[in-house]
Amino acid sequence: MDNHWFVGVDIGGTTIKMAFIDTYGEIITKWEIATNTHNEGRQITTDISKSIFMKLDELNEPKEKLAGIGVGAPGFINMENGFIYKAVNIGWKDFPLKDRLEVDTGLPVVVDNDANLAALGEMWRGAGDGAKNLLAVTLGTGVGGGLIANGNIVHGVNGMAGEIGHLTSVAKGGAPCNCGKTGCLETIASATGIARIAKEKASESNDSELAIILSRDGKLTAKDVFDAASKEDALALEVVDEISFHLGLAIANLANAVNPEKIVIGGGVSKAGDLLIDHINKHFQTYALPRVAQGAKIAVATLGNDAGVIGAVWLIKQKVNN
Amino acid sequence: MDNHWFVGVDIGGTTIKMAFIDTYGEIITKWEIATNTHNEGRQITTDISKSIFMKLDELNEPKEKLAGIGVGAPGFINMENGFIYKAVNIGWKDFPLKDRLEVDTGLPVVVDNDANLAALGEMWRGAGDGAKNLLAVTLGTGVGGGLIANGNIVHGVNGMAGEIGHLTSVAKGGAPCNCGKTGCLETIASATGIARIAKEKASESNDSELAIILSRDGKLTAKDVFDAASKEDALALEVVDEISFHLGLAIANLANAVNPEKIVIGGGVSKAGDLLIDHINKHFQTYALPRVAQGAKIAVATLGNDAGVIGAVWLIKQKVNN
């Protein structure tokens, strides 16, 4: 199998990321196509299939070069048959993604949740550095996650595992969350949550850079907070410490239960880098058991937008080689 | 293999539970021997070995009837070689439990943590009812646990997974825990924690049955609390609700991350039965994502003291049959 390539596909609401990747996880070439959400997304598998074979032609390689396709998709996925129960951004409902793509391409296909595949990608080729027990936390507009135990994704009984954003951080009186509950980690540690907390604090302050930005722009972003914190703005540091307390506590609680070797923090908010990691780590050390804390390293994700396609290829590679 | 038996061994600080168990998980016979902790526990594997062959003679069965031995041990275990790093109650330090027992018996041996094996036992033959994604929580003198994902025990990177008792329930100002941290779930939901909380509340009350017992006996037990709660004593119900809030919240947070099918509550405190489960479930439903809550059932462990030997046999059976 060693000179075969695999296809990694990461389907998002506006673009589909694609790559040919070799058996060692090296990207040969990567490209994107637009996500066609018309007609309930029925055209998408044909678009992917056509794009794969056009790219193969471009590179003068035969179909036999490809050994299989790994696909990351948003929404709820039935792992047994590769059906997408529901992906609101795309319009799929009970969509047979795996079957359609296998028929269109004649190649074996595996499908998994995009957040899980990003965790696998980081495990294989990124900050996870081969760790077979890994917790991935993605801090973006929302807070997502993936859990790998014994080298395998933990899906749980109905594919909901890894919903780290919906751990409850504030049991009583927390902010409302998109999921319908209140006080979820996502209401605090997402870019949106950070902006909300910063705004609350800045409204009651006069001398912070955040208060100046808020009165100038009428709004605050997570980036404003980290920029100000890196300049030692006291209020911004207070916001960073508050969200890091909740992240460190939630991650320590999970770590006491699953004892990961690596905890990989990704997503847009993770661009804050050491400033964020150091604050999270301080609280993590307080709440993790000493031996759990010794065994675990918190690191920023390194693969960026490539994590999904690389993780997808890891998964199809396991399947084809077994 | 179908007419072979396996040996289940559950090593505790005072007694060693043993059983011959068939390939379907039915106990053929079970018995106990004393744990000989003299001389740093060096005699224990010989004691186990002798006891197995004596019992086999008693039953007029040849050595060939036995296909392997599964052993549950307390303390920290190196899963790769079956060494016990440290088991304080027994005196073992870097003890080659698996190797010794294999040499003494001539049979294949697997060793795992006793709490993990109890979880496996419940998965196979108890309240877990075959669920491949299961969370076991043991409420005894302390609070222990075990996590099964994709049908396998989650050990984590250094065997610490499942330390559910040390999730932090009270981040600031909690009671001190044996582990060195404060505010752990164990300080609240163990038999000891329940007694502590009941005593605090009863000391400030006059009209509760708990206050009467406290002034009569000078102490309160977890059993006193549940007995009084089952007679609708308001203060006792308040204690039950408080500990159930912390249990329900911690279990919901873990469930959002691992999405179990079954949550099995065992240990002495679980004898409180429906009174406890109903209270836990109320809070669990508040904090679990709706789809996670739908997928999960909270149930009292059914195997009691047999869970460990049955789980041990499940594990050795997997190994011998592969």
Side-chain angles (χ1 to χ4, degrees):
Chain A
M1 298 295 300
D2 267 8
N3 64 347
H4 278 106
W5 292 345
F6 297 88
V7 189
V9 179
D10 186 357
I11 303 175
T14 51
T15 63
I16 300 171
K17 296 182 184 69
M18 301 177 67
F20 292 156
I21 294 176
D22 73 13
T23 189
Y24 306 104
E26 296 283 347
I27 293 179
I28 307 297
T29 183
K30 62 178 179 178
W31 70 100
E32 293 186 6
I33 62 174
T35 308
N36 184 347
T37 54
H38 294 300
N39 201 8
E40 295 172 347
R42 288 212 194 105
Q43 186 64 24
I44 287 174
T45 56
T46 314
D47 291 350
I48 292 171
S49 177
K50 277 187 190 162
S51 180
I52 289 170
F53 292 116
M54 275 174 58
K55 186 60 72 173
L56 210 52
D57 275 352
E58 240 178 83
L59 299 172
N60 278 316
E61 294 285 353
K63 190 186 160 186
E64 292 68 35
K65 187 75 182 176
L66 301 178
I69 307 175
V71 185
F76 297 125
I77 300 168
N78 181 328
M79 296 301 156
E80 276 166 35
N81 58 19
F83 267 61
I84 313 294
Y85 288 123
K86 201 174 179 183
V88 179
N89 292 342
I90 292 177
W92 285 336
K93 221 179 134 175
D94 288 319
F95 185 79
L97 177 58
K98 175 182 146 76
D99 288 352
R100 284 280 185 94
L101 202 54
E102 284 187 339
V103 168
D104 285 352
T105 62
L107 288 164
V109 172
V110 291
V111 175
D112 206 321
N113 175 274
D114 47 6
N116 287 339
L117 292 184
L120 276 183
E122 291 288 342
M123 169 183 90
W124 190 22
R125 298 280 309 181
D129 209 17
K132 287 189 185 309
N133 293 282
L134 182 149
L135 178 63
V137 183
T138 309
L139 307 173
T141 318
V143 172
L147 181 62
I148 293 168
N150 304 321
N152 292 308
I153 295 174
V154 177
H155 290 112
V157 63
N158 51 15
M160 291 291 287
E163 287 290 350
I164 293 160
H166 301 289
L167 267 69
T168 301
S169 292
V170 180
K172 280 159 192 171
C177 184
N178 289 327
C179 74
K181 301 196 298 144
T182 59
C184 292
L185 182 60
E186 179 164 304
T187 66
I188 295 165
S190 64
T192 329
I194 296 169
R196 179 184 61 80
I197 292 169
K199 195 175 166 186
E200 280 172 19
K201 288 193 190 284
S203 309
E204 297 162 8
S205 155
N206 291 314
D207 59 349
S208 162
E209 194 172 324
L210 296 184
I212 296 165
I213 299 171
L214 180 61
S215 70
R216 188 190 65 204
D217 300 352
K219 69 184 174 77
L220 280 168
T221 65
K223 189 170 181 302
D224 294 334
V225 173
F226 288 106
D227 285 350
S230 68
K231 291 181 225 152
E232 306 277 328
D233 180 85
L235 192 77
L237 283 168
E238 197 183 309
V239 175
V240 171
D241 200 59
E242 178 170 334
I243 64 139
S244 299
F245 159 72
H246 287 293
L247 275 168
L249 175 59
I251 291 171
N253 279 344
L254 285 182
N256 288 337
V258 301
N259 187 204
E261 185 176 354
K262 285 281 167 67
I263 296 158
V264 179
I265 313 286
V269 172
S270 72
K271 287 180 187 151
D274 286 347
L275 176 63
L276 176 65
I277 300 295
D278 292 349
H279 276 84
I280 294 175
N281 205 31
K282 183 184 77 179
H283 297 291
F284 175 76
Q285 298 288 334
T286 304
Y287 297 115
L289 284 168
R291 219 171 116 79
V292 169
Q294 277 160 33
K297 191 172 182 318
I298 303 181
V300 173
T302 60
L303 298 181
N305 289 333
D306 295 338
V309 291
I310 292 175
V313 163
W314 188 88
L315 199 64
I316 183 66
K317 186 173 122 96
Q318 303 309 304
K319 197 188 167 189
V320 169
N321 292 349
N322 279 328
Chain B
M1 296 297 299
D2 268 8
N3 63 349
H4 279 105
W5 293 343
F6 297 89
V7 189
V9 179
D10 186 356
I11 303 176
T14 51
T15 62
I16 301 171
K17 294 183 185 68
M18 303 178 65
F20 292 156
I21 294 176
D22 73 13
T23 190
Y24 305 104
E26 295 283 347
I27 293 180
I28 307 296
T29 182
K30 62 179 178 177
W31 70 100
E32 292 186 8
I33 61 174
T35 308
N36 184 345
T37 55
H38 294 299
N39 202 7
E40 295 173 347
R42 288 211 194 106
Q43 187 64 25
I44 288 175
T45 56
T46 314
D47 291 350
I48 292 171
S49 176
K50 278 188 188 160
S51 180
I52 289 171
F53 291 116
M54 274 173 59
K55 186 60 73 172
L56 211 50
D57 276 351
E58 241 178 82
L59 299 172
N60 279 317
E61 293 285 352
K63 190 186 161 188
E64 292 68 34
K65 186 74 181 177
L66 302 178
I69 306 175
V71 185
F76 297 126
I77 300 168
N78 181 327
M79 297 300 155
E80 276 166 36
N81 58 19
F83 268 60
I84 312 294
Y85 288 124
K86 202 175 179 181
V88 180
N89 292 342
I90 292 179
W92 285 336
K93 221 179 135 176
D94 287 321
F95 185 79
L97 178 57
K98 174 183 146 77
D99 289 353
R100 285 281 185 92
L101 201 54
E102 284 186 338
V103 169
D104 285 351
T105 61
L107 288 165
V109 173
V110 291
V111 175
D112 207 319
N113 175 273
D114 47 6
N116 287 338
L117 292 185
L120 276 184
E122 291 288 341
M123 169 185 89
W124 190 21
R125 297 280 308 182
D129 208 16
K132 287 189 186 308
N133 294 281
L134 182 148
L135 177 63
V137 182
T138 309
L139 307 174
T141 318
V143 172
L147 181 61
I148 294 168
N150 304 322
N152 293 307
I153 295 174
V154 177
H155 289 113
V157 64
N158 51 15
M160 291 291 286
E163 288 290 349
I164 293 160
H166 301 288
L167 267 69
T168 301
S169 292
V170 179
K172 281 159 191 169
C177 183
N178 290 328
C179 75
K181 300 197 298 146
T182 59
C184 293
L185 181 60
E186 179 164 304
T187 67
I188 294 165
S190 63
T192 329
I194 296 169
R196 179 185 61 79
I197 292 169
K199 195 175 167 186
E200 281 172 19
K201 288 193 190 285
S203 310
E204 296 163 8
S205 155
N206 291 315
D207 59 349
S208 162
E209 193 173 325
L210 295 184
I212 297 166
I213 298 171
L214 181 61
S215 71
R216 188 191 64 202
D217 300 351
K219 69 184 173 75
L220 279 169
T221 65
K223 188 170 181 302
D224 293 334
V225 173
F226 288 107
D227 285 349
S230 69
K231 291 181 226 149
E232 306 278 327
D233 180 86
L235 192 77
L237 282 168
E238 197 183 309
V239 176
V240 172
D241 201 58
E242 179 170 334
I243 64 139
S244 300
F245 159 71
H246 287 292
L247 275 168
L249 175 58
I251 292 171
N253 278 345
L254 285 182
N256 288 338
V258 301
N259 187 203
E261 186 177 351
K262 284 281 166 67
I263 296 158
V264 179
I265 314 287
V269 173
S270 73
K271 288 181 186 149
D274 285 347
L275 176 64
L276 176 65
I277 300 296
D278 291 349
H279 276 85
I280 295 175
N281 205 32
K282 182 184 76 180
H283 296 291
F284 174 77
Q285 298 289 334
T286 304
Y287 297 115
L289 285 167
R291 221 171 115 80
V292 169
Q294 277 160 33
K297 191 173 182 317
I298 303 181
V300 174
T302 59
L303 298 181
N305 289 333
D306 296 338
V309 291
I310 293 174
V313 163
W314 188 88
L315 200 63
I316 183 65
K317 184 173 122 96
Q318 304 307 305
K319 197 189 166 189
V320 169
N321 292 349
N322 278 328

